[in-house]
Amino acid sequence: MIDRLIENIQKKNNPSVVGLDPTIAMMPEGLKKKYFEEYGETAEGIAAMFEEFNRNIIDAVADIVPAVKPQIAMYEKFGESGIRAYNRTCRYAAEKGLTVIGDIKRGDISSTAAAYAAHLDGAETGSRREATWWEDSVTVNPYLGTDGIKPFTDACAAAGKGIFVLVRTSNPSSSEIQMLELADGRKVYEAVGELTAEWGSSLIGKFGYSEVGAVVGATHKEEGERLRAALPHTFFLVPGYGAQGGTAEDVAGFFDARGLGAIISSSRGITAAYRKMEGCGEENYADAAAAAAAEMRDTLRAALARRTE
Amino acid sequence: MIDRLIENIQKKNNPSVVGLDPTIAMMPEGLKKKYFEEYGETAEGIAAMFEEFNRNIIDAVADIVPAVKPQIAMYEKFGESGIRAYNRTCRYAAEKGLTVIGDIKRGDISSTAAAYAAHLDGAETGSRREATWWEDSVTVNPYLGTDGIKPFTDACAAAGKGIFVLVRTSNPSSSEIQMLELADGRKVYEAVGELTAEWGSSLIGKFGYSEVGAVVGATHKEEGERLRAALPHTFFLVPGYGAQGGTAEDVAGFFDARGLGAIISSSRGITAAYRKMEGCGEENYADAAAAAAAEMRDTLRAALARRTE
């Protein structure tokens, strides 16, 4: 995954990823009318609506961004129908050549983690193996330690896939556990960062980055820069840009000297851009997303260029 | 959830829960033959097979145990079909009067956690609300802190449901993060335990236990006993009994003086019991599960009785 992701980033000269986190509130009125008329106000109809919305967003941004990051919770909320929409969204994006980062934040003990690893390398179904999910990479939670991570790294090695371990998340309460100070002077997130580097040490690709990356929030400029220096082989997936408060200047130090090493995520700021653009009819939501994605790309490019001046 | 769970435990005089974690390897040959013939070796067929297996296990143990704990990963592995089997299993168990503890270990930032909370109180679908999942309670991961937990506790309050926060998990690598020593002398798991008690402080039921419980592994006798003393209002969900090494003696100290305060989980030890019982034909897998569940109940009862002698 990591080499293809970086090649995609270089080809589009854009280190950003569009979060596909649909909500009913985000949907254009015309789309809601269409699906509520066909399905009633049902989970099945909402899932089908999300799928159409996502397809149009993906078509609009596919030439601009290297990757998409659907957040499974927004689909899982709607049960089986939602999971189907998630899977179809991932598959559609992959077919368009985008790297698909499934934001699933799974984590469990070894035998259970091995079951979750089907997100990366499919499920044995008797004497054959079946693809049951369509991500190139997924986010995982480290709280259970190495034996909960190893099945994922095994799947990465077997299938050329990747993971991003939660190290320093973007949300306000993230410090409660992640910033606790340890007896040896480190913070909890630093200990988790070091474990993350160990977990990825045998999966380093041609750009010097591992299939095992880290989630580091744009809202934590200082810790992001410290982690960048401490973990030279760990690629960062960076949420918290835009709506959550992180700026291009905040994240510029999350990149290495080559301008690699991080991919910045924005969700609402792209997919709901049509609501904030003056004179933009809601039917043009996909064009608005493309414009917002291009603007974010240019803002990040400029911040990285300023850094090296 | 917590009051109903404790009433169920008292009614059946059994503080144990059966983990419904099906694998292909666990299935009787006759069942595999039936489903592989009908569906081929497909995820859809395996999911349907798991559903039948679970229904028969549930029927067999419903009078013996107060609760079941399906591990969603074992279903999620098989994609959308698997999720359908998980949901139908939860629903079937609930209809039989069992408390359903969904072992989903979800955790994310606030808006995302609110989407996952649909597991407890359903999803808004326009002007109405639809049940999209069927658990009474779910397990959650604490690594993101309070704002990732609050949507779940809000759902607990609104719908009379419960959660169990991962505090000290049963797996071998769990100590890597959970047992790190903090500068103030506590261990990480103790800090998480204290947060868990805070999160549940306004949701305490008639037995003195909160809707917000903790996952504490049977493999950690000492920490379990320390947590029992430190967190008088926190109910423990205890994995790691049996196959993972925890014994009835190990967990006896996880209970309070009344014999309440914990529910001990066993999965393979119950559902795959037919493989270890001499002379037990595989077609009797459900009866074997019932016998194993009764044996576990009696072992736990005896250990608790010895403790008070």
Side-chain angles (χ1 to χ4, degrees), chain A residues 41 76 119 127-128 147 171, chain B residues 41 76 119 127-128 147:
Chain A
E41 295 186 346
E76 187 169 317
H119 279 273
S127 58
R128 55 186 287 279
D147 65 37
N171 57 312
Chain B
E41 294 185 348
E76 188 170 319
H119 279 275
S127 59
R128 54 187 287 279
D147 65 36

Side-chain angles (χ1 to χ4, degrees), chain A residues 94-129:
Chain A
E95 286 168 1
K96 294 280 168 177
L98 294 163
T99 300
V100 179
I101 303 172
D103 201 352
I104 67 173
K105 295 189 175 65
R106 302 301 194 241
D108 211 302
I109 66 168
S110 58
S111 54
T112 311
Y116 280 133
H119 279 273
L120 300 177
D121 69 345
E124 276 174 25
T125 54
S127 58
R128 55 186 287 279
R129 184 171 279 272

Side-chain angles (χ1 to χ4, degrees), chain B residues 251-299:
Chain B
V251 300
F254 292 30
F255 292 83
D256 67 20
R258 296 171 292 173
L260 297 178
I263 188 163
I264 316 300
S265 173
S266 177
S267 302
R268 276 168 291 173
I270 307 297
T271 53
Y274 75 93
R275 296 176 159 248
K276 301 229 167 147
M277 287 185 187
E278 211 166 326
C280 176
E282 60 157 37
E283 69 281 9
N284 302 314
Y285 65 89
D287 291 341
E295 192 187 334
M296 179 177 171
R297 174 197 63 199
D298 296 342
T299 305

Side-chain angles (χ1 to χ4, degrees), chain A residues 249-279:
Chain A
E249 273 62 38
D250 289 335
V251 300
F254 292 30
F255 292 83
D256 66 22
R258 296 171 292 172
L260 297 177
I263 189 163
I264 316 300
S265 174
S266 178
S267 303
R268 277 169 289 174
I270 308 296
T271 52
Y274 77 93
R275 295 173 159 249
K276 302 228 167 151
M277 286 185 189
E278 213 165 322

Side-chain angles (χ1 to χ4, degrees), chain A residues 1-73:
Chain A
M1 181 285 298
I2 190 66
D3 289 345
R4 291 195 314 279
L5 174 62
I6 293 174
E7 284 163 356
N8 248 344
I9 288 172
Q10 291 182 323
K11 194 170 81 182
K12 291 166 183 167
N13 190 9
N14 182 2
S16 75
V17 50
V18 174
L20 298 174
D21 309 348
T23 61
I24 297 175
M26 188 191 287
M27 295 296 119
E29 291 303 321
L31 209 57
K32 277 197 274 196
K33 192 162 176 293
K34 172 180 166 187
Y35 281 92
F36 283 164
E37 274 180 16
E38 185 175 346
Y39 290 90
E41 295 186 346
T42 62
E44 191 186 0
I46 289 162
M49 174 167 61
F50 285 180
E51 220 186 300
E52 175 176 339
F53 182 83
N54 286 344
R55 273 200 314 272
N56 290 329
I57 298 283
I58 289 167
D59 285 344
V61 303
D63 289 338
I64 301 166
V65 299
V68 292
K69 181 176 78 65
Q71 166 54 259
I72 198 170

